[in-house]
Amino acid sequence: GNLDEAFQHFRRCLEIKPNTASGHTNMTNLLLDRGDVDGATSHLRVAIEIDPTDADNHNMLAIISAKRGNFAEATKHLRRVVELKPGDPAAANNLAITLAKQGRMEEAAQSFEAALRIDSNFAEAHAGLARVLTAQKKPEEAMRHYQEALRILKAQQKAEGSGDTKQ
């Protein structure tokens, strides 16, 4: 099928030019589509070795690592994503989620707060921070962030319902 043809094509490309990060990234995506997570991870590691400044590859490896329960590795790659994309609230939010899953609540709170400094209308970061504050036994602060998340989501739904796509 088409996946097999694509696989053969990318394999040939990598034989000709083995030191191209994009070639390894393309092979990673193809292998993930085929369900070969181990093969994909190997190509992703090579792509990162060739180009350590590709935030998307670090993010992808962080996701794979987290799904496999390797939160230490996921954290390492998410810290790199935050470093490479300091103005991306999603990067800080993803790092915060991973830190919270490890029970590192103070660091998680700091990372959620960093996401909110970038985008104060980031509902997911407000909700994440609220969960961390709840775990830290700070119910009043948690409630403020839950309410803010709800306010933002309602405003977004209202805007979507009226056809207004501005945020």
mmCIF file of all heavy atoms in Angstrom, residues 20-22 24-25 28 40-62 64-65 73 76-78 80-81 84:
data_model
loop_
_atom_site.group_PDB
_atom_site.id
_atom_site.type_symbol
_atom_site.label_atom_id
_atom_site.label_comp_id
_atom_site.label_asym_id
_atom_site.label_seq_id
_atom_site.Cartn_x
_atom_site.Cartn_y
_atom_site.Cartn_z
ATOM 1 N N THR A 20 20.171 13.874 7.581
ATOM 2 C CA THR A 20 19.151 14.909 7.461
ATOM 3 C C THR A 20 18.093 14.692 8.536
ATOM 4 O O THR A 20 17.436 13.652 8.570
ATOM 5 C CB THR A 20 18.476 14.896 6.070
ATOM 6 O OG1 THR A 20 17.919 13.607 5.852
ATOM 7 C CG2 THR A 20 19.453 15.252 4.964
ATOM 8 N N ALA A 21 17.967 15.661 9.404
ATOM 9 C CA ALA A 21 16.994 15.560 10.497
ATOM 10 C C ALA A 21 15.581 15.392 9.943
ATOM 11 O O ALA A 21 14.801 14.576 10.452
ATOM 12 C CB ALA A 21 17.081 16.788 11.393
ATOM 13 N N SER A 22 15.245 16.138 8.896
ATOM 14 C CA SER A 22 13.883 16.058 8.349
ATOM 15 C C SER A 22 13.582 14.661 7.810
ATOM 16 O O SER A 22 12.454 14.183 7.920
ATOM 17 C CB SER A 22 13.673 17.113 7.262
ATOM 18 O OG SER A 22 14.559 16.891 6.184
ATOM 19 N N HIS A 24 14.737 11.849 9.025
ATOM 20 C CA HIS A 24 14.457 11.009 10.193
ATOM 21 C C HIS A 24 13.113 11.367 10.816
ATOM 22 O O HIS A 24 12.390 10.496 11.293
ATOM 23 C CB HIS A 24 15.595 11.107 11.208
ATOM 24 C CG HIS A 24 16.830 10.388 10.757
ATOM 25 N ND1 HIS A 24 16.967 9.010 10.835
ATOM 26 C CD2 HIS A 24 17.970 10.840 10.192
ATOM 27 C CE1 HIS A 24 18.137 8.655 10.348
ATOM 28 N NE2 HIS A 24 18.772 9.749 9.945
ATOM 29 N N THR A 25 12.763 12.659 10.793
ATOM 30 C CA THR A 25 11.459 13.079 11.306
ATOM 31 C C THR A 25 10.336 12.487 10.451
ATOM 32 O O THR A 25 9.337 11.986 10.978
ATOM 33 C CB THR A 25 11.354 14.612 11.344
ATOM 34 O OG1 THR A 25 12.391 15.129 12.173
ATOM 35 C CG2 THR A 25 10.011 15.066 11.877
ATOM 36 N N THR A 28 10.025 8.941 11.260
ATOM 37 C CA THR A 28 9.367 8.829 12.567
ATOM 38 C C THR A 28 7.852 8.847 12.403
ATOM 39 O O THR A 28 7.145 7.978 12.925
ATOM 40 C CB THR A 28 9.793 9.993 13.488
ATOM 41 O OG1 THR A 28 11.187 9.880 13.749
ATOM 42 C CG2 THR A 28 9.014 9.992 14.792
ATOM 43 N N ALA A 40 10.121 4.349 15.487
ATOM 44 C CA ALA A 40 9.902 5.794 15.417
ATOM 45 C C ALA A 40 10.783 6.517 16.433
ATOM 46 O O ALA A 40 11.409 7.532 16.119
ATOM 47 C CB ALA A 40 8.430 6.113 15.672
ATOM 48 N N THR A 41 10.848 5.978 17.636
ATOM 49 C CA THR A 41 11.652 6.593 18.697
ATOM 50 C C THR A 41 13.122 6.623 18.303
ATOM 51 O O THR A 41 13.812 7.628 18.525
ATOM 52 C CB THR A 41 11.445 5.839 20.025
ATOM 53 O OG1 THR A 41 10.061 5.865 20.353
ATOM 54 C CG2 THR A 41 12.234 6.478 21.156
ATOM 55 N N SER A 42 13.603 5.553 17.700
ATOM 56 C CA SER A 42 15.010 5.516 17.264
ATOM 57 C C SER A 42 15.292 6.610 16.247
ATOM 58 O O SER A 42 16.304 7.323 16.357
ATOM 59 C CB SER A 42 15.334 4.151 16.647
ATOM 60 O OG SER A 42 15.248 3.153 17.615
ATOM 61 N N HIS A 43 14.418 6.758 15.261
ATOM 62 C CA HIS A 43 14.620 7.803 14.243
ATOM 63 C C HIS A 43 14.486 9.199 14.851
ATOM 64 O O HIS A 43 15.216 10.122 14.468
ATOM 65 C CB HIS A 43 13.655 7.611 13.073
ATOM 66 C CG HIS A 43 14.114 6.566 12.116
ATOM 67 N ND1 HIS A 43 15.082 6.800 11.161
ATOM 68 C CD2 HIS A 43 13.759 5.262 11.992
ATOM 69 C CE1 HIS A 43 15.299 5.687 10.477
ATOM 70 N NE2 HIS A 43 14.512 4.731 10.967
ATOM 71 N N LEU A 44 13.585 9.339 15.799
ATOM 72 C CA LEU A 44 13.402 10.634 16.451
ATOM 73 C C LEU A 44 14.647 11.031 17.229
ATOM 74 O O LEU A 44 15.085 12.189 17.190
ATOM 75 C CB LEU A 44 12.182 10.547 17.376
ATOM 76 C CG LEU A 44 11.544 11.833 17.844
ATOM 77 C CD1 LEU A 44 11.289 12.799 16.698
ATOM 78 C CD2 LEU A 44 10.245 11.510 18.567
ATOM 79 N N ARG A 45 15.255 10.077 17.916
ATOM 80 C CA ARG A 45 16.491 10.364 18.647
ATOM 81 C C ARG A 45 17.615 10.792 17.695
ATOM 82 O O ARG A 45 18.378 11.704 18.005
ATOM 83 C CB ARG A 45 16.924 9.146 19.463
ATOM 84 C CG ARG A 45 16.033 8.863 20.649
ATOM 85 C CD ARG A 45 16.577 7.708 21.490
ATOM 86 N NE ARG A 45 15.602 7.208 22.431
ATOM 87 C CZ ARG A 45 15.182 7.849 23.518
ATOM 88 N NH1 ARG A 45 15.671 9.031 23.805
ATOM 89 N NH2 ARG A 45 14.281 7.306 24.316
ATOM 90 N N VAL A 46 17.692 10.149 16.537
ATOM 91 C CA VAL A 46 18.707 10.533 15.547
ATOM 92 C C VAL A 46 18.417 11.946 15.034
ATOM 93 O O VAL A 46 19.330 12.770 14.914
ATOM 94 C CB VAL A 46 18.765 9.516 14.379
ATOM 95 C CG1 VAL A 46 19.694 10.016 13.276
ATOM 96 C CG2 VAL A 46 19.219 8.148 14.882
ATOM 97 N N ALA A 47 17.152 12.238 14.745
ATOM 98 C CA ALA A 47 16.786 13.573 14.257
ATOM 99 C C ALA A 47 17.182 14.644 15.276
ATOM 100 O O ALA A 47 17.714 15.697 14.909
ATOM 101 C CB ALA A 47 15.282 13.638 13.971
ATOM 102 N N ILE A 48 16.954 14.368 16.550
ATOM 103 C CA ILE A 48 17.303 15.329 17.611
ATOM 104 C C ILE A 48 18.815 15.463 17.736
ATOM 105 O O ILE A 48 19.328 16.565 17.959
ATOM 106 C CB ILE A 48 16.645 14.925 18.951
ATOM 107 C CG1 ILE A 48 15.134 15.168 18.866
ATOM 108 C CG2 ILE A 48 17.263 15.686 20.121
ATOM 109 C CD1 ILE A 48 14.345 14.600 20.026
ATOM 110 N N GLU A 49 19.531 14.374 17.564
ATOM 111 C CA GLU A 49 20.986 14.426 17.613
ATOM 112 C C GLU A 49 21.528 15.300 16.475
ATOM 113 O O GLU A 49 22.450 16.092 16.672
ATOM 114 C CB GLU A 49 21.550 13.008 17.500
ATOM 115 C CG GLU A 49 23.011 12.895 17.867
ATOM 116 C CD GLU A 49 23.466 11.439 17.860
ATOM 117 O OE1 GLU A 49 22.863 10.622 18.586
ATOM 118 O OE2 GLU A 49 24.417 11.151 17.114
ATOM 119 N N ILE A 50 20.934 15.170 15.287
ATOM 120 C CA ILE A 50 21.357 15.961 14.127
ATOM 121 C C ILE A 50 20.968 17.427 14.312
ATOM 122 O O ILE A 50 21.759 18.321 14.029
ATOM 123 C CB ILE A 50 20.735 15.404 12.828
ATOM 124 C CG1 ILE A 50 21.300 14.007 12.539
ATOM 125 C CG2 ILE A 50 21.005 16.340 11.651
ATOM 126 C CD1 ILE A 50 20.532 13.238 11.465
ATOM 127 N N ASP A 51 19.741 17.671 14.768
ATOM 128 C CA ASP A 51 19.253 19.042 14.965
ATOM 129 C C ASP A 51 18.597 19.169 16.337
ATOM 130 O O ASP A 51 17.387 18.990 16.479
ATOM 131 C CB ASP A 51 18.256 19.436 13.876
ATOM 132 C CG ASP A 51 17.755 20.867 14.046
ATOM 133 O OD1 ASP A 51 18.265 21.597 14.928
ATOM 134 O OD2 ASP A 51 16.847 21.264 13.288
ATOM 135 N N PRO A 52 19.405 19.502 17.349
ATOM 136 C CA PRO A 52 18.856 19.609 18.709
ATOM 137 C C PRO A 52 17.977 20.850 18.925
ATOM 138 O O PRO A 52 17.423 21.020 20.002
ATOM 139 C CB PRO A 52 20.104 19.642 19.593
ATOM 140 C CG PRO A 52 21.215 20.062 18.701
ATOM 141 C CD PRO A 52 20.850 19.663 17.306
ATOM 142 N N THR A 53 17.821 21.686 17.893
ATOM 143 C CA THR A 53 17.009 22.896 18.045
ATOM 144 C C THR A 53 15.590 22.733 17.503
ATOM 145 O O THR A 53 14.830 23.696 17.479
ATOM 146 C CB THR A 53 17.678 24.095 17.325
ATOM 147 O OG1 THR A 53 17.706 23.837 15.920
ATOM 148 C CG2 THR A 53 19.084 24.338 17.852
ATOM 149 N N ASP A 54 15.218 21.531 17.080
ATOM 150 C CA ASP A 54 13.874 21.294 16.553
ATOM 151 C C ASP A 54 12.932 20.992 17.721
ATOM 152 O O ASP A 54 12.885 19.868 18.225
ATOM 153 C CB ASP A 54 13.879 20.150 15.547
ATOM 154 C CG ASP A 54 12.541 19.994 14.841
ATOM 155 O OD1 ASP A 54 11.490 20.157 15.502
ATOM 156 O OD2 ASP A 54 12.545 19.705 13.635
ATOM 157 N N ALA A 55 12.181 22.005 18.118
ATOM 158 C CA ALA A 55 11.285 21.876 19.275
ATOM 159 C C ALA A 55 10.201 20.830 19.044
ATOM 160 O O ALA A 55 9.809 20.122 19.975
ATOM 161 C CB ALA A 55 10.654 23.226 19.602
ATOM 162 N N ASP A 56 9.717 20.724 17.811
ATOM 163 C CA ASP A 56 8.645 19.759 17.543
ATOM 164 C C ASP A 56 9.111 18.329 17.772
ATOM 165 O O ASP A 56 8.353 17.497 18.279
ATOM 166 C CB ASP A 56 8.128 19.930 16.108
ATOM 167 C CG ASP A 56 7.410 21.258 15.915
ATOM 168 O OD1 ASP A 56 6.890 21.817 16.906
ATOM 169 O OD2 ASP A 56 7.363 21.737 14.764
ATOM 170 N N ASN A 57 10.359 18.027 17.404
ATOM 171 C CA ASN A 57 10.886 16.683 17.637
ATOM 172 C C ASN A 57 11.047 16.406 19.130
ATOM 173 O O ASN A 57 10.736 15.311 19.597
ATOM 174 C CB ASN A 57 12.211 16.475 16.910
ATOM 175 C CG ASN A 57 12.010 16.240 15.429
ATOM 176 O OD1 ASN A 57 10.920 15.900 14.981
ATOM 177 N ND2 ASN A 57 13.056 16.431 14.648
ATOM 178 N N HIS A 58 11.524 17.407 19.884
ATOM 179 C CA HIS A 58 11.623 17.231 21.339
ATOM 180 C C HIS A 58 10.230 16.995 21.927
ATOM 181 O O HIS A 58 10.053 16.148 22.808
ATOM 182 C CB HIS A 58 12.267 18.458 21.994
ATOM 183 C CG HIS A 58 13.749 18.510 21.839
ATOM 184 N ND1 HIS A 58 14.609 17.729 22.587
ATOM 185 C CD2 HIS A 58 14.531 19.255 21.024
ATOM 186 C CE1 HIS A 58 15.856 17.994 22.241
ATOM 187 N NE2 HIS A 58 15.843 18.911 21.293
ATOM 188 N N ASN A 59 9.245 17.750 21.438
ATOM 189 C CA ASN A 59 7.881 17.606 21.941
ATOM 190 C C ASN A 59 7.337 16.210 21.634
ATOM 191 O O ASN A 59 6.719 15.568 22.489
ATOM 192 C CB ASN A 59 6.984 18.686 21.335
ATOM 193 C CG ASN A 59 5.674 18.815 22.069
ATOM 194 O OD1 ASN A 59 5.656 19.095 23.256
ATOM 195 N ND2 ASN A 59 4.592 18.599 21.366
ATOM 196 N N MET A 60 7.579 15.733 20.418
ATOM 197 C CA MET A 60 7.103 14.402 20.040
ATOM 198 C C MET A 60 7.752 13.327 20.909
ATOM 199 O O MET A 60 7.075 12.404 21.367
ATOM 200 C CB MET A 60 7.409 14.142 18.555
ATOM 201 C CG MET A 60 6.583 13.024 17.986
ATOM 202 S SD MET A 60 6.855 12.640 16.220
ATOM 203 C CE MET A 60 7.244 14.185 15.458
ATOM 204 N N LEU A 61 9.059 13.453 21.162
ATOM 205 C CA LEU A 61 9.727 12.459 22.002
ATOM 206 C C LEU A 61 9.218 12.545 23.443
ATOM 207 O O LEU A 61 9.079 11.527 24.124
ATOM 208 C CB LEU A 61 11.250 12.631 21.951
ATOM 209 C CG LEU A 61 12.064 11.512 22.594
ATOM 210 C CD1 LEU A 61 11.656 10.132 22.104
ATOM 211 C CD2 LEU A 61 13.552 11.740 22.342
ATOM 212 N N ALA A 62 8.892 13.745 23.891
ATOM 213 C CA ALA A 62 8.318 13.911 25.233
ATOM 214 C C ALA A 62 6.969 13.201 25.333
ATOM 215 O O ALA A 62 6.690 12.523 26.325
ATOM 216 C CB ALA A 62 8.163 15.394 25.566
ATOM 217 N N ILE A 64 5.874 10.644 23.501
ATOM 218 C CA ILE A 64 6.107 9.195 23.478
ATOM 219 C C ILE A 64 6.632 8.728 24.841
ATOM 220 O O ILE A 64 6.171 7.723 25.384
ATOM 221 C CB ILE A 64 7.086 8.815 22.346
ATOM 222 C CG1 ILE A 64 6.427 9.040 20.978
ATOM 223 C CG2 ILE A 64 7.550 7.367 22.489
ATOM 224 C CD1 ILE A 64 7.389 8.947 19.801
ATOM 225 N N SER A 65 7.581 9.475 25.393
ATOM 226 C CA SER A 65 8.164 9.098 26.692
ATOM 227 C C SER A 65 7.100 9.102 27.784
ATOM 228 O O SER A 65 7.037 8.185 28.611
ATOM 229 C CB SER A 65 9.301 10.057 27.058
ATOM 230 O OG SER A 65 10.334 9.985 26.102
ATOM 231 N N GLU A 73 12.309 11.481 31.323
ATOM 232 C CA GLU A 73 12.745 11.818 29.967
ATOM 233 C C GLU A 73 11.790 12.819 29.327
ATOM 234 O O GLU A 73 12.226 13.752 28.647
ATOM 235 C CB GLU A 73 12.858 10.569 29.082
ATOM 236 C CG GLU A 73 13.382 10.939 27.698
ATOM 237 C CD GLU A 73 13.750 9.767 26.817
ATOM 238 O OE1 GLU A 73 13.503 8.614 27.185
ATOM 239 O OE2 GLU A 73 14.297 10.035 25.740
ATOM 240 N N LYS A 76 12.668 16.217 30.584
ATOM 241 C CA LYS A 76 13.906 16.721 29.976
ATOM 242 C C LYS A 76 13.613 17.340 28.604
ATOM 243 O O LYS A 76 14.059 18.459 28.306
ATOM 244 C CB LYS A 76 14.917 15.577 29.841
ATOM 245 C CG LYS A 76 16.226 15.976 29.188
ATOM 246 C CD LYS A 76 17.168 14.793 29.050
ATOM 247 C CE LYS A 76 16.996 14.200 27.673
ATOM 248 N NZ LYS A 76 17.977 13.190 27.323
ATOM 249 N N HIS A 77 12.834 16.641 27.790
ATOM 250 C CA HIS A 77 12.546 17.144 26.441
ATOM 251 C C HIS A 77 11.588 18.331 26.472
ATOM 252 O O HIS A 77 11.728 19.260 25.673
ATOM 253 C CB HIS A 77 12.044 16.011 25.551
ATOM 254 C CG HIS A 77 13.139 15.062 25.197
ATOM 255 N ND1 HIS A 77 14.129 15.363 24.284
ATOM 256 C CD2 HIS A 77 13.441 13.835 25.678
ATOM 257 C CE1 HIS A 77 14.977 14.352 24.203
ATOM 258 N NE2 HIS A 77 14.591 13.414 25.047
ATOM 259 N N LEU A 78 10.641 18.327 27.411
ATOM 260 C CA LEU A 78 9.721 19.469 27.507
ATOM 261 C C LEU A 78 10.445 20.721 28.001
ATOM 262 O O LEU A 78 10.124 21.832 27.577
ATOM 263 C CB LEU A 78 8.532 19.127 28.405
ATOM 264 C CG LEU A 78 7.553 18.137 27.766
ATOM 265 C CD1 LEU A 78 6.550 17.646 28.785
ATOM 266 C CD2 LEU A 78 6.859 18.756 26.558
ATOM 267 N N ARG A 80 13.418 21.423 27.202
ATOM 268 C CA ARG A 80 14.094 21.880 25.985
ATOM 269 C C ARG A 80 13.105 22.609 25.070
ATOM 270 O O ARG A 80 13.446 23.623 24.467
ATOM 271 C CB ARG A 80 14.738 20.682 25.269
ATOM 272 C CG ARG A 80 15.555 21.051 24.073
ATOM 273 C CD ARG A 80 16.878 21.716 24.453
ATOM 274 N NE ARG A 80 17.678 21.879 23.251
ATOM 275 C CZ ARG A 80 18.187 23.034 22.848
ATOM 276 N NH1 ARG A 80 18.051 24.124 23.571
ATOM 277 N NH2 ARG A 80 18.873 23.103 21.733
ATOM 278 N N VAL A 81 11.879 22.121 24.967
ATOM 279 C CA VAL A 81 10.855 22.792 24.156
ATOM 280 C C VAL A 81 10.600 24.197 24.704
ATOM 281 O O VAL A 81 10.549 25.174 23.939
ATOM 282 C CB VAL A 81 9.541 21.981 24.110
ATOM 283 C CG1 VAL A 81 8.447 22.764 23.396
ATOM 284 C CG2 VAL A 81 9.762 20.633 23.431
ATOM 285 N N LEU A 84 13.419 26.394 23.737
ATOM 286 C CA LEU A 84 13.417 26.722 22.313
ATOM 287 C C LEU A 84 12.236 27.598 21.913
ATOM 288 O O LEU A 84 12.307 28.321 20.918
ATOM 289 C CB LEU A 84 13.404 25.432 21.480
ATOM 290 C CG LEU A 84 14.674 24.585 21.563
ATOM 291 C CD1 LEU A 84 14.428 23.194 20.988
ATOM 292 C CD2 LEU A 84 15.822 25.284 20.844
#
